[in-house]
Amino acid sequence: MTLLRSIDTILPAVEQQLDAVPFIDIHTHLFMPSLGTLGLWGIDQLVTYHYLEAELFRSSPLKPEQYWVLSTQQKADAIWKALFVENTPISEATRGVIAVLKAFGLPTDSPDLREAREFFANQKVEPHIRKVFELAGVSEVVMTNDPLDPDEAPLWQEGAERDPQFHPVLRLDRILNKWSSHWHLVPGADENAGSIAPVRKFLAEWCERMRPVYMACSLPDTFQYPEQSIRSRLLAEVVIPACREFEIPLSLMIGVRYLVNPALRLAGDAVGRADLGALERLCVQFPENRFLCSVLSRENQYELCVYARKFSNLMPFGCWWFLNNPSIVEEMTKERIEMLGTSFIPQHSDARVLEQVIYKWRNTRRTLAPILADKYALLAADGRAVTAEDIRRDVTRLFRTNFENWTT
Ligand code: FIX
Ligand code: ZN
């Protein structure tokens, strides 16, 4: 075993191990092939990603109401023109599209999307999925599955074929955040959730049907626990007990200010600093439950790290959404390594379009390599050299076994 002491030998070793270890992408909005057109892929979906829609309205006279009446292709053409032709695609999200085009050997400076459209139109979805996962260096992705989604739920009830590279998750936003407009979809439930048995039965049936690797919910920046609310009661009396019964974690994604600009639709959400005391009280009250947690506000990251040092049933994960930018990923990851060693999950892609995993994971590997290498170089300077095997074990833990152990 070669002992690595200097950054010159450590950095290439880290880059090599990051490339060699296939990652598990623990949170995406991708769908297994049997869920059909729910799964988005191809150039028009890549270019009309809500991150780019938000950027479009800053660089084009087009108003949202004019944009929403366009076809998907017309929307993509408008975005390509405004962000990739009339301006330099220098933002994180625009650069992502460029990286995907390059990955498939397609031109990155065309005046239009004709050639890219032709290329993607010739792809067969199943082999394309495998190719994309290979290019991204991921072995499996975790989906976001909504049992109350009118398009998705029937597909599961009809017995959608499973895929070993796609793990399901029971996403509960409609139940926990929008009970008043969705309770009638839970058989036997009532408007005030007075009787919780029907909700428990509903969750148990979906766990049997879907065998999710975890349950999940995004929560507003105003999230409080406990509080006098249906959400708080359903969490304590239905969701968290069900997670214990089915021995799966609950993932809490905290800090969204929903639709601060409704005109932008999916691109209309923002961020707010949350009171993580709610998370503290959940970890204290339910020590038998495992929690995954990602917080959206930059200001909440330090607190989350400290809470993870206090509660071994809490697993911080990902640099979520607006945080998924190299400058912030760097800051968060350094802080997490300094306070948690390798006992956290550094990233997830949150991909909504299949090919996004290619650039999101390439960016993550590119950002993390020097951070990890610096930490190993510091360790060597402090008196202990590392080996490629050490690095391999740590990368495997960060991007595979922390999640596997947390969900089994
Ligand atoms: O709640 C979530 O899972 C968020 O990731 C999404 O709602 C969000 O729209 C998104 O795509 C973030 O990257
Ligand atoms: Zn998401």
Side-chain angles (χ1 to χ4, degrees):
M1 283 191 299
T2 316
L3 295 178
L4 310 169
R5 297 181 197 286
S6 77
I7 195 74
D8 303 336
T9 53
I10 292 173
L11 181 57
V14 170
E15 287 165 342
Q16 198 188 354
Q17 295 307 331
L18 284 171
D19 284 343
V21 174
F23 294 178
I24 300 175
D25 190 345
I26 80 154
H27 173 59
T28 76
H29 299 268
L30 304 180
F31 294 93
M32 61 192 183
S34 59
L35 296 175
T37 54
L38 290 176
L40 305 179
W41 61 286
I43 192 64
D44 289 301
Q45 298 299 340
L46 280 168
V47 174
T48 55
Y49 181 35
H50 71 83
Y51 288 32
L52 293 170
E53 290 174 332
E55 295 176 26
L56 168 71
F57 298 117
R58 299 189 54 72
S59 298
S60 159
L62 204 60
K63 293 283 170 258
E65 56 277 13
Q66 298 166 312
Y67 173 81
W68 296 120
V69 295
L70 301 174
S71 71
T72 302
Q73 283 206 1
Q74 291 168 326
K75 287 179 181 141
D77 290 340
I79 293 177
W80 184 258
K81 181 166 172 285
L83 300 182
F84 295 83
V85 178
E86 293 169 352
N87 288 286
T88 309
I90 198 171
S91 74
E92 187 69 7
T94 51
R95 271 195 302 110
V97 175
I98 298 296
V100 171
L101 292 170
K102 178 143 179 287
F104 289 106
L106 293 163
T108 60
D109 55 358
S110 298
D112 60 47
L113 294 171
R114 228 190 313 262
E115 193 173 341
R117 279 194 183 116
E118 209 177 299
F119 169 80
F120 285 101
N122 291 328
Q123 306 309 308
K124 296 258 171 308
V125 67
E126 288 242 10
H128 184 58
I129 289 173
R130 315 304 164 191
K131 173 78 182 157
V132 166
F133 283 6
E134 198 191 314
L135 285 170
V138 295
S139 59
E140 299 130 82
V141 300
V142 176
M143 303 183 280
T144 295
N145 310 98
D146 181 347
L148 295 181
D149 181 285
D151 299 321
E152 183 177 0
L155 298 170
W156 284 98
Q157 284 154 337
E158 289 151 18
E161 192 190 334
R162 308 297 296 254
D163 186 305
Q165 289 197 286
F166 292 80
H167 299 295
V169 151
L170 207 48
R171 182 74 180 232
L172 305 174
D173 292 43
R174 291 183 210 230
I175 289 178
L176 290 174
N177 298 336
K178 301 178 180 163
W179 179 259
S180 58
S181 51
H182 290 86
W183 65 271
H184 61 286
L185 297 171
V186 177
D190 63 273
E191 190 162 2
N192 303 315
S195 154
I196 55 167
V199 197
R200 279 208 173 181
K201 183 165 178 288
F202 179 83
L203 279 194
E205 282 168 2
W206 272 95
C207 281
E208 302 288 354
R209 178 178 296 122
M210 195 187 267
R211 288 180 273 114
V213 287
Y214 61 78
M215 293 190 200
C217 189
S218 82
L219 294 159
D221 59 333
T222 54
F223 170 62
Q224 265 310 337
Y225 182 86
E227 63 174 1
Q228 287 305 318
S229 71
I230 289 177
R231 175 172 55 210
S232 187
R233 205 152 70 76
L234 289 176
L235 263 176
E237 297 178 27
V238 178
V239 175
I240 291 172
C243 285
R244 234 180 3 260
E245 183 191 338
F246 287 91
E247 298 179 339
I248 54 176
L250 174 61
S251 174
L252 302 169
M253 305 177 81
I254 308 172
V256 189
R257 294 186 66 75
Y258 298 102
L259 292 178
V260 295
N261 183 354
L264 300 192
R265 302 188 185 177
L266 208 47
D269 296 334
V271 54
R273 182 173 181 172
D275 168 9
L276 294 191
L279 181 65
E280 175 190 326
R281 289 182 285 278
L282 284 167
C283 290
V284 168
Q285 187 177 342
F286 302 104
E288 304 309 316
N289 281 80
R290 295 185 304 280
F291 295 97
L292 285 160
C293 186
S294 207
V295 285
L296 193 53
S297 161
R298 195 176 183 172
E299 291 69 30
N300 278 143
Q301 303 308 326
Y302 168 68
E303 292 162 80
L304 178 61
C305 274
V306 174
Y307 276 129
R309 292 174 61 84
K310 309 303 144 192
F311 300 108
S312 59
N313 62 337
L314 176 60
M315 175 66 79
F317 78 95
C319 305
W320 182 26
W321 205 340
F322 311 111
L323 299 164
N324 193 0
N325 291 298
S327 59
I328 306 175
V329 171
E330 199 177 315
E331 172 191 301
M332 288 172 64
T333 308
K334 284 181 177 173
E335 185 176 71
R336 286 169 167 178
I337 292 175
E338 287 154 4
M339 285 205 263
L340 303 173
T342 52
S343 67
F344 68 99
I345 299 171
Q347 190 58 296
H348 64 277
S349 74
D350 230 317
R352 280 183 175 273
V353 182
L354 176 69
E355 297 86 357
Q356 288 172 341
V357 290
I358 295 173
Y359 73 84
K360 289 185 183 237
W361 285 114
R362 178 172 299 173
N363 294 352
T364 296
R365 286 181 167 95
R366 185 161 56 189
T367 304
L368 256 70
I371 296 171
L372 279 173
D374 274 353
K375 296 300 174 200
Y376 290 127
L378 281 175
L379 177 62
D382 289 341
R384 177 161 160 179
V386 290
T387 65
E389 291 70 30
D390 293 334
I391 300 170
R392 176 81 174 225
R393 175 195 54 204
D394 296 343
V395 168
T396 303
R397 181 180 182 190
L398 289 165
F399 290 103
R400 296 192 65 83
T401 47
N402 275 341
F403 180 69
E404 290 172 325
N405 296 340
W406 210 246
T407 51
T408 46

